[in-house]
Amino acid sequence: MGAVLATIKAQGFEIDYNAAGLYKPSCNEAYPDWWTVQQAKAMGIPLVYGSDAHSVAEVGQGIHDIETRIN
């Protein structure tokens, strides 16, 4: 994963930190995983909220949890 993060950093990309997994019974966690998020933050790679919303009711779901983790 380190090489992937290095490429993301070199290209000036951001990572979608997605809350959808928090609401999936078989997952119960955001993705990418916490280790990847910590590595990205340490490397200065921006993380942006994502939700995979497929309905109006899902827009913004989990945003407060993700924002807390990003900051």
Side-chain angles (χ1 to χ4, degrees):
M1 183 54 90
V4 172
L5 291 175
T7 300
I8 290 169
K9 173 77 174 171
Q11 295 295 320
F13 294 152
E14 301 172 335
I15 294 177
D16 176 73
Y17 192 24
N18 201 297
L22 296 170
Y23 303 96
K24 294 181 180 178
S26 60
C27 185
N28 294 317
E29 68 177 306
Y31 31 83
D33 60 47
W34 187 239
W35 180 90
T36 303
V37 167
Q38 291 298 98
Q39 292 299 311
K41 287 174 68 172
M43 294 173 72
I45 298 170
L47 297 156
V48 296
Y49 165 77
S51 71
D52 286 345
H54 295 273
S55 71
V56 173
E58 294 174 340
V59 173
Q61 193 173 38
I63 193 167
H64 299 296
D65 187 36
I66 296 296
E67 284 181 336
T68 299
R69 295 175 188 210
I70 289 173
N71 299 318

